[in-house]
Amino acid sequence: DSGVTQTPKHLITATGQRVTLRCSPRSGDLSVYWYQQSLDQGLQFLIQYYNGEERAKGNILERFSAQQFPDLHSELNLSSLELGDSALYFCASSAARGGTGANVLTFGAGSRLTVL
Amino acid sequence: AQTVTQSQPEMSVQEAETVTLSCTYDTSENNYYLFWYKQPPSRQMILVIRQEAYKQQNATENRFSVNFQKAAKSFSLKISDSQLGDTAMYFCAFRPNSGGSNYKLTFGKGTLLTVNP
């Protein structure tokens, strides 16, 4: 157990629908990162939050949004789903600024999304 | 922008033997971190080893070691005494040490390693 909790583990939905993926970071970690892993694109960085604020944005579609709440858990919202959104979505967390722990991302087990 | 290249999509090795996975990267940064993550069939991403670019000494973690060649921008992973449990996808990753709180990783496409009995 990495300490990063993601729910749900598996999700099957239809095109056009909306889903929410949830992530609880390791205790004490302030940063949360979302990655998408698909067969053709590999691991793609989506977005990062640090202590509730957006810090970096990657290849995140406009149909996707995320936020980090005061208790530091994060949610990734995917709307108007398309077949191509089927992927494994990872959340990772890292420690507060400074210190060697800040350099390492710890990943959750992922949420597998299947869009039919 | 940084790029990470893993030129070996698949590799195989016999149990107890040694295997080396290759990784090259491109960056204009001088200070950065490099990582190897493994992803076994369970799909969990697990940190294997990391290297700070300002350290000349190659990192070692038990059976795992790296050959870091900063000038060549090369970062290979050597697995000694390979075990069946080492079967996994291995990802090389890069992160610039630009300060602040952004520790976003850029990953390579991965190398699928199969350890045969």
Side-chain angles (χ1 to χ4, degrees):
Chain A
D1 183 4
S2 67
V4 179
T5 304
Q6 288 189 249
T7 57
K9 285 187 169 42
H10 303 278
L11 189 56
I12 301 174
T13 189
T15 54
Q17 294 298 305
R18 172 189 170 95
V19 299
T20 297
L21 309 181
R22 182 188 167 101
C23 169
S24 294
R26 282 190 325 165
S27 177
D29 285 359
L30 299 182
S31 277
V32 169
Y33 305 75
W34 287 97
Y35 280 83
Q36 179 194 56
Q37 185 179 31
S38 59
L39 284 175
D40 54 343
Q41 295 292 327
L43 274 156
Q44 296 287 316
F45 169 70
L46 297 178
I47 198 163
Q48 179 211 356
Y49 281 84
Y50 175 79
N51 203 18
E53 294 185 5
E54 182 184 304
R55 280 304 170 100
K57 204 173 235 188
N59 302 321
I60 188 166
L61 300 172
E62 285 192 11
R63 301 183 285 108
F64 295 1
S65 65
Q67 56 182 327
Q68 186 179 28
F69 295 86
D71 67 352
L72 301 177
H73 91 271
S74 177
E75 292 181 357
L76 178 66
N77 300 297
L78 315 174
S79 62
S80 303
L81 286 168
E82 302 174 359
L83 296 178
D85 298 327
S86 294
L88 188 58
Y89 291 84
F90 282 108
C91 169
S93 70
S94 67
R97 191 180 305 191
T100 56
N103 303 320
V104 175
L105 265 62
T106 301
F107 283 79
S111 292
R112 177 166 293 284
L113 173 66
T114 302
V115 182
L116 300 176
Chain B
Q2 292 84 19
T3 58
V4 178
T5 303
Q6 294 179 248
S7 58
Q8 306 149 314
E10 294 187 39
M11 293 189 73
S12 63
V13 64
Q14 292 299 121
E15 200 174 2
E17 294 188 346
T18 297
V19 64
T20 299
L21 309 183
S22 300
C23 172
T24 58
Y25 56 95
D26 187 24
T27 184
S28 57
E29 303 275 347
N30 188 52
N31 196 8
Y32 48 86
Y33 294 86
L34 294 161
F35 304 84
W36 281 97
Y37 279 85
K38 68 181 278 190
Q39 187 178 38
S42 67
R43 310 298 285 179
Q44 175 78 52
M45 293 287 288
I46 302 165
L47 178 68
V48 175
I49 198 166
R50 70 173 178 179
Q51 174 81 41
E52 289 115 336
Y54 63 86
K55 289 188 177 179
Q56 291 188 333
Q57 186 172 4
N58 290 322
T60 299
E61 288 286 343
N62 301 313
R63 298 182 295 107
F64 299 87
S65 61
V66 299
N67 183 4
F68 173 48
Q69 302 289 329
K70 191 172 183 179
K73 295 181 182 173
S74 170
F75 183 61
S76 61
L77 174 70
K78 186 172 82 170
I79 305 174
S80 304
D81 186 26
S82 296
Q83 300 176 0
L84 297 178
D86 295 333
T87 292
M89 182 73 86
Y90 286 81
F91 292 96
C92 178
F94 171 97
R95 180 182 84 71
N97 187 23
S98 52
S101 57
N102 181 356
Y103 301 114
K104 173 177 76 79
L105 292 174
T106 300
F107 287 90
K109 294 288 190 186
T111 296
L112 179 60
L113 175 68
T114 302
V115 180
N116 299 308

